[in-house]
Amino acid sequence: MKRFRRHGHESQRDKHKQDLYQFNKTVEHGFPHQPSALGFSPSLELLAIGTRSGAIKLYGAPGVEFMGLHDENAAVTQVHFLPNQVELVTLLDDNSLHMWTLRAHTGMSELLEIGRFTLSGPPGAPPSVTRVTAVLAHSSGELLLLGTEGGHVFVVEVPGFRQLEENNISVEDVQNRIPEDYVGRRNLECVETLHENPLNPRQVLIGYSRGLMVLWDLDRQRPIQHFLGTQQLESVWWMEDGGNILSSHSDGSYCQWTVTGGDPKHVPKPILCLKLCTFALHTINVSFVLVSPSPPFLIFSGGMPRASYGDRHCISVIHSKTHEALDFTSRIIDFFVICEPSALVVLVEEELVVVDLQTEGWPVIQTPYLVPLHCSAITCSHHVSSIPLKLWERVQAVGAQQNTHYSKKPWPINGGQNLAPDPPQRDLLLTGHEDGTVRFWDASGVCLYPMYKLSTAGAFLTDADPNDNMNQGSEGEWPPFRKVGCFDPYSDDPRLGIQKIHLCKYSGYLTVAGTAGQILVLELNDEAAEQTVEATVVDLLQGQEGFRWKGQARLDVREEPVLFPPGFQPFALVQCQPPAVVTAIALHSEWKLVAFGTSHGFGLYDYHQRNKIMVKCTLNPSDQMALEGPLSRVKSIKKSLRHYSPDKLTKHDTRHHLQEINARLEAEALQEMELAPVQRKIEARSSDDSFTGLVRTLYFADTFVSDSSHSTPSLWAGTNGGAVFAHVLRVPSLERRAEDPVVAHAAKEIQLMHRAPVVGLVVLDGKGAPLPEPLEVAHDLARSPEMHGSHHLLVVSEEQLKLFTLPKVSSKSKLKLTAVDGSRVRRVGVAWFGSRTDEQLESSLVVLTNQGELHVISLPSIKMMVHYPCIRREDVSGIASCVFTKYGQGFYLMSPSEFERFSLSTRWAVEPRCLVEAPLQMRPKNPSSPVHRDQPDGVPTEHSSARQVMEHALLNDESEYMKISS
């Protein structure tokens, strides 16, 4: 008999779905992975970063963010804003050029690609003829000058990318107009740099890598003057007075040249030449000379003596008698200076650093975005919605005490307008790291802003290696080095790595669990306190013989009192034995209990009375991998890398290899613990599978376990082998809580037929709603659970959702998510959804599979509502890192340094809403006529004599500089 659906009912249901659910990837938090290019527009006050994956990201005032992605899978090598316009040009390493614009649409700007172009040369010409090495966005806003590997300069009209062949400057044109003795001695090689005359935009300086610089007249198509360097050219700086040029060279020298416009056949000499130090130097590959009214600044990168500082990445800043080498922990990509000069902005491989040049000591300015989330590798995440104001302010206050070393200056890049409304609530994202730190981030809006950093290392005696101090240096060392930035991938002891976090926003209690079986219980304190951390060792094997742990040893707890700074301070520690990775924790701050689980079992700890309540061993006797400890290999590999010969492996190489190894080991461990990502239809799994005793989820509930008349506190645990254990708890009344013990005894045990891993447990009340969080009802932020009518236990396994009635634990209904395509549930969470027009909220279950798909499932009917593709199925680490919020949003690591934020809700979505308008300056009517103009984008406006700059550098420290010629 056929069943016919009622059309009206389906239409109403579809409309209901559209009102509640809508999937969008909204914003990318963190630092771009593998940055490769930097650009800046002084007129728009926008910063641009290109990456090796082809992404282009723009940042202005906090909240002003744009992101674009090239279709080509190629690295961005250069980014250039068109002066005084809302367009920019990117160059990729496949030699293609792309034009982007910030176009206003419905009152907001969006970043759009509006054209692409590849330079074409004469038929049969070698690729070097058109391989672009230098780009000049002409101040007219209508021309691009493209210097190539073959030494040619091509002129292209924008935005249409039309080649103006009659204006091209061939290498033969240049060679025919310079002294014959120079041409006879060497080839010009590639065009290294292109610069406009600050006073006459129709004059362009062409710098060739072999050292020759030619001042070219675009109108008359001939050279005006040439400058002959004897060393390979690295960079050029044209002084604002238009009469002096500074060039830097591969031997560490700077030369000053006077622009006279004289006979192009005449060979001028540099009027001043300085060489940094007398040792073999790293190339000075980027340089700026900037001046304030007096005295001037000299800023350059490179120039470090190779023998002593071959592994350092430095930018030197010289001002009057002050000289510092800013020492970064990763490779320098590029830098620029915001004029006055007020700030130095440096893009390095792993972070963006902004240095305040107007405040004594040149402190770093705290960035509101692009903060390196991966200062130490991220190992876990935990999101807390709707933080109470009191707790928020306390966390802000202790965080402010940590940040006193930052500059008080405001953020100097403030382009565009942030049109997004103020966040409706205060949200925290907590990230655990490999070095044992937990970082608190303001996740309320577009900018993921750092609030506070907690370090757990102080409670332990660690394997800290003093030789790993990357900022070591001898007293009186030249030049004076200062470590800048916060990226530091080293961990003193990999056992410190944070694996699980749980924060109670109502009580201020925090639990943090680590790689070596340690669970810390912490309480927020506004003042520093000296205290001993009371340790309790819990044997999860319960004395069973014949088992020998082959993994890492546990961390040694400091027995003497420790002075903990203001913030979250540990007062109790549970140490699991064997010291395996903690795989699950749950905190119930009303009952003052913490549950914890590993691959060997789970236990319950009373942090009020500081004692163990119960332990349950779940280890399968045949499970040898659970005794090995799959993550124990990390330490030995790191040790071997840390003690590798420095002649063969630099610190940067070491960090790079460590990150690769960590990523590989984490992926291997995930596959070992959760099995292969894609498999067959549901079929029974063997009880001999690896890690069947591993505890995947823990859950506290006040529900009906023993009978249907009296609810009781309970603890539920789900394992990798498809088992669910329930323990009834007797928690003393508040008056007797300090004296009477908490008692737990086993009550129920469920074994799923197919033995699929249990990844989530939820108890639904009499109305089918999930039970509220601990203390949520007491703070009038949730209604009391319905205790009349049957409660239900929802068991979410990797392969299906199954609803059981309580207390009988009889099966009521189920939903097979994975019966056909072999996908498996990886993450699950309860979320509340509502329409934009209706205040009423309804709860649903959000599920992420190993295919990267998101499913929203209704409660209590457990029916599929919607599903969306979200993460690539090959992105194992992205899927494993996903965390859901209480209101239908989520985060996952799209790279080691970036969170992708998404929303499933029509009501709640955090995304950039901003507007960038073109500057008031208009394009010149006739770009061919020489005019005095404002400085092009990327060039400062202050100026003074180049000789004054050099003489200051020379006179302030004669021991450090040697005058070569004058």
Side-chain angles (χ1 to χ4, degrees), residues 183-248:
V183 177
R185 283 189 288 118
R186 62 179 76 186
N187 294 323
L188 300 182
E189 294 192 356
C190 73
V191 177
E192 191 69 41
T193 183
L194 292 166
H195 281 274
E196 278 186 48
N197 185 333
L199 302 182
N200 186 347
R202 303 308 297 171
Q203 295 179 0
V204 174
L205 184 71
I206 308 169
Y208 296 91
S209 62
R210 291 299 293 267
L212 176 70
M213 294 177 289
V214 175
L215 182 59
W216 190 268
D217 189 313
L218 294 177
D219 293 329
R220 292 180 284 180
Q221 289 291 296
R222 65 178 182 84
I224 300 171
Q225 190 176 353
H226 72 273
F227 312 93
L228 181 55
T230 58
Q231 295 291 331
Q232 179 174 316
L233 181 68
E234 295 295 335
S235 63
V236 171
W237 177 256
W238 199 324
M239 301 300 293
E240 181 64 17
D241 59 13
N244 291 278
I245 295 169
L246 267 80
S247 60
S248 69

Side-chain angles (χ1 to χ4, degrees), residues 87-101:
E87 283 80 34
L88 65 151
V89 174
T90 55
L91 172 67
L92 306 188
D93 67 357
D94 65 359
N95 207 42
S96 63
L97 287 150
H98 302 255
M99 177 71 74
W100 300 79
T101 188

